[in-house]
Amino acid sequence: MTDTLRVLQFGDSVFPVGAFSFSNGLESAVQHAAVRDKETLREFVGSVTRTAATGDGVALLVAHRAARAGDLDLVRDADEAVYLRKLNEETRTMTVRMGRKLAEAAGHIVGESLLAQRLRDADSGGIAVTYPVALGVLFAALDLDEREAFAAHQYGAALMVLSAAVRLMRVDHLDTQAILFAVNETVPAMYEQVATAGLDEMQTFAPMADVLAAAHLHAHVRMFMN
């Protein structure tokens, strides 16, 4: 029971890592009419979660296993792999800010762990802590299964978009919950797809998302940071 509560706590959309400040690309997609209605929103969320699984999700799993083995160097490599694959400024900002916030919060709540060591390493001029890696290391520190860490990550990626959608589009909470319910059903298959992948097999090819993110940098009106 306690493990379930830990997953709910650290996977909660209101956990204080600043997720509410980001739309995961939706704001720009709405501004450029790439997302117009419930159906295009569903497709967009599906694209976001697939990219999250084959990119950040791989790094999360590698980091979780590295943390279980006490391998700080491999955790650092996972952070670097995530950071280098963020081609635009806004997604880099998102993953670094949320990663730092999660690491700081975990240090306050959980106490000393490999994640706290990793944060000190970053503060000493090392590679920045990223969100998916921090989540993987934290779940390992809590002795939670890697599948639960992966599921929490995928849930968060989808919910970030859907929470923003309520403020950006003519959709309601029931519409977004129906989309979330459908997307959640895809998570086990996504896990199986990437479970054996290494850092060099991370796939983040999403050219439309990168174009929209670049356009968002120069938008005159912005509600979200990305």
Side-chain angles (χ1 to χ4, degrees), residues 62-129:
V62 169
H64 186 281
R65 295 162 191 167
R68 283 262 172 102
D71 190 342
L72 184 60
D73 289 336
L74 185 54
V75 171
R76 188 184 299 109
D77 289 345
D79 273 319
E80 183 175 35
V82 171
Y83 187 84
L84 292 178
R85 284 168 174 78
K86 302 301 181 187
L87 300 184
N88 59 78
E89 179 182 337
E90 291 191 336
T91 53
R92 287 195 299 271
T93 298
M94 180 178 72
T95 196
V96 168
R97 287 191 181 180
M98 289 178 61
R100 168 169 284 279
K101 289 293 186 182
L102 181 59
E104 290 174 345
H108 183 79
I109 298 167
V110 178
E112 182 61 28
S113 68
L114 193 68
L115 184 54
Q117 295 180 45
R118 178 69 192 89
L119 182 60
R120 289 194 294 269
D121 174 60
D123 287 342
S124 299
I127 297 162
V129 176

Side-chain angles (χ1 to χ4, degrees), residues 175-189:
D175 294 329
T176 56
Q177 286 298 316
I179 293 172
L180 182 61
F181 186 82
V183 169
N184 285 343
E185 292 182 333
T186 70
V187 172

Side-chain angles (χ1 to χ4, degrees), residues 28-58:
S28 189
V30 170
Q31 289 171 342
H32 290 81
V35 175
R36 304 173 299 279
D37 49 29
K38 288 186 290 185
E39 180 57 28
T40 51
L41 176 61
R42 183 192 63 77
E43 293 173 355
F44 185 82
V45 174
S47 178
V48 166
T49 53
R50 283 192 298 273
T51 304
T54 60
D56 290 352
V58 173

Side-chain angles (χ1 to χ4, degrees), residues 145-159:
D145 188 79
E146 66 176 37
R147 291 173 177 81
E148 294 171 322
F150 183 84
H153 178 260
Q154 294 301 110
Y155 179 86
L159 196 59

Side-chain angles (χ1 to χ4, degrees), residues 25 28-29 31-32 87-91 206-219 222 226:
S28 189
Q31 289 171 342
H32 290 81
L87 300 184
N88 59 78
E89 179 182 337
E90 291 191 336
T91 53
M208 180 59 73
D210 289 325
V211 170
L212 290 170
H216 193 253
L217 276 173
H218 305 288
R222 296 200 301 179
N226 83 336

